[in-house]
Amino acid sequence: MNIHRLLHNIVKLGFLPLIFFSSIVFCGAEMQSPIILWPNGAPGALGVTSNDIPTLTPYLPEGRRATGAAMIICPGGGYAALSPREGGDYALWLNQYGITCFVLKYRLGSNGYHHPAMLQDVSRAMRFVRAYAANWKIDPQRIGIMGSSAGGHLASTLLTHFDSGDPDAKDPIERESSRPDLGVLCYPVITMSGPLVNVGSKVNLLGVNPSPELVQLLSNELQVTTNTPPCFVWTTYENKIVPLENSLEFISALRKNGVPFSFHIYEKGGHGMGLMDKPPFLHPHPWAADCLFWLKERDFIN
């Protein structure tokens, strides 16, 4: 088994057996052991298996490359699974440009969870990284959120449903803001209503018969405000699983509210493309270069 397959299997399982190792070094990046976000159990946990325990897996760039910026990555999978190519692959790619990454294993509809569990997990992840930013030499004001497909919906949910933290919380992590400093959305699910909705993602997130109020709340094109962070959004014309109009509605809302964004539609390519490359990512899809250009403009890379 090669090291990249090993990394994929580890990410898929969602944990590292600490008895064997605490980190792996690959392509100049260090993949550390997953961190349990709630050591005493996540709110609303249905059990104590790996499926019930949200984690963050840090991917650290070489010290000389580190820019002080960070990205929390939400893999896609229809709120039913987590795609390694939209998690660990993205982290290893961004590590090459000095961004410290954290891949989130969030709770899933396929394991009996629905909203707000997923939002709780991604919010906790943002607060956690911000609370311990100094440990990783991260600037707490340069922490982004990235997601693909349903992971893009979760990222867009945090971009539109964040809060400033609870200053009176006993847990110091909960005192931190959950607002990302920017967002990267890859062929994202955005809406939960109408003909554009991805039905599988909706059912896994909201259940079979959600209330109209809940559908509206999680239709994130309706939740954008002037305080929504800047975004990079891309999709393809040929994507039939999550129609490009999901992205169009979101960037239209960004535009209406005066939120800066970079938006790209590529003609070719179906859903779930990821980078269309493997480490060391010498020939990724053009969206990667466009995203890096934008991240440089946002002072996330040098």
Side-chain angles (χ1 to χ4, degrees):
M1 180 182 292
N2 64 32
I3 187 67
H4 192 251
R5 177 62 59 187
L6 177 61
L7 287 173
H8 272 194
N9 288 344
I10 289 167
V11 173
K12 184 176 181 180
L13 288 171
F15 65 94
L16 288 178
L18 300 181
I19 190 170
F20 293 118
F21 41 72
S22 60
S23 66
I24 294 175
V25 177
F26 185 55
C27 289
E30 180 185 354
M31 177 186 176
Q32 296 189 334
S33 301
I35 300 166
I36 296 174
L37 288 176
W38 281 282
N40 296 319
L46 302 176
V48 293
T49 71
S50 176
N51 296 331
D52 306 301
I53 303 173
T55 65
L56 270 183
T57 301
Y59 288 71
L60 310 184
E62 288 184 272
R64 63 183 177 85
R65 291 183 176 177
T67 66
M71 192 76 73
I72 296 170
I73 300 170
C74 305
Y79 284 117
L82 300 174
S83 169
R85 69 173 172 269
E86 297 167 350
D89 279 4
Y90 287 176
L92 291 171
W93 166 62
L94 289 173
N95 280 167
Q96 294 180 339
Y97 299 93
I99 297 178
T100 300
C101 293
F102 301 85
V103 177
L104 175 64
K105 178 170 74 75
Y106 53 93
R107 288 171 287 176
L108 298 170
S110 55
N111 296 320
Y113 290 97
H114 300 298
H115 177 78
M118 297 77 161
L119 178 57
Q120 290 170 338
D121 294 350
V122 72
S123 299
R124 178 73 172 186
M126 182 60 67
R127 298 188 213 280
F128 189 97
V129 173
R130 191 159 274 139
Y132 292 102
N135 292 23
W136 290 293
K137 299 180 181 179
I138 292 169
D139 180 351
Q141 303 306 314
R142 286 192 295 153
I143 305 173
I145 189 76
M146 180 178 189
S148 302
S149 189
H153 183 269
L154 184 56
S156 73
T157 302
L158 187 62
L159 288 162
T160 54
H161 294 75
F162 57 83
D163 63 60
S164 59
D166 180 0
D168 298 321
K170 293 182 179 179
D171 182 351
I173 295 172
E174 292 300 314
R175 300 171 197 162
E176 298 287 343
S177 169
S178 64
R179 182 184 188 272
D181 295 297
L182 57 75
V184 176
L185 306 180
C186 310
Y187 40 87
V189 174
I190 294 294
T191 192
M192 287 288 123
S193 65
L196 302 178
V197 69
N198 180 267
V199 176
S201 296
K202 178 180 179 180
V203 171
N204 283 322
L205 177 65
L206 303 182
V208 176
N209 293 303
S211 69
E213 293 78 14
L214 187 58
V215 169
Q216 180 173 348
L217 180 68
L218 274 298
S219 292
N220 292 328
E221 76 279 11
L222 303 178
Q223 307 304 325
V224 173
T225 71
T226 56
N227 200 30
T228 299
C231 293
F232 178 95
V233 185
W234 75 273
T235 188
T236 65
Y237 175 81
E238 292 183 343
N239 188 345
K240 305 301 182 185
I241 304 300
V242 178
L244 65 85
E245 285 81 4
N246 277 261
S247 296
L248 287 174
E249 291 201 359
F250 192 73
I251 63 106
S252 294
L254 295 176
R255 177 69 171 173
K256 179 179 178 181
N257 284 275
V259 177
F261 65 87
S262 180
F263 180 49
H264 302 261
I265 301 176
Y266 306 94
E267 179 185 357
K268 300 295 183 180
H271 190 69
M273 292 163 48
L275 289 160
M276 295 188 70
D277 199 6
K278 297 297 181 184
F281 307 109
L282 298 179
H283 304 288
H285 188 278
W287 77 263
D290 291 333
C291 185
L292 291 173
F293 179 83
W294 183 76
L295 289 171
K296 185 173 183 179
E297 289 185 320
R298 305 304 308 183
D299 196 31
F300 263 55
I301 64 175
N302 297 325

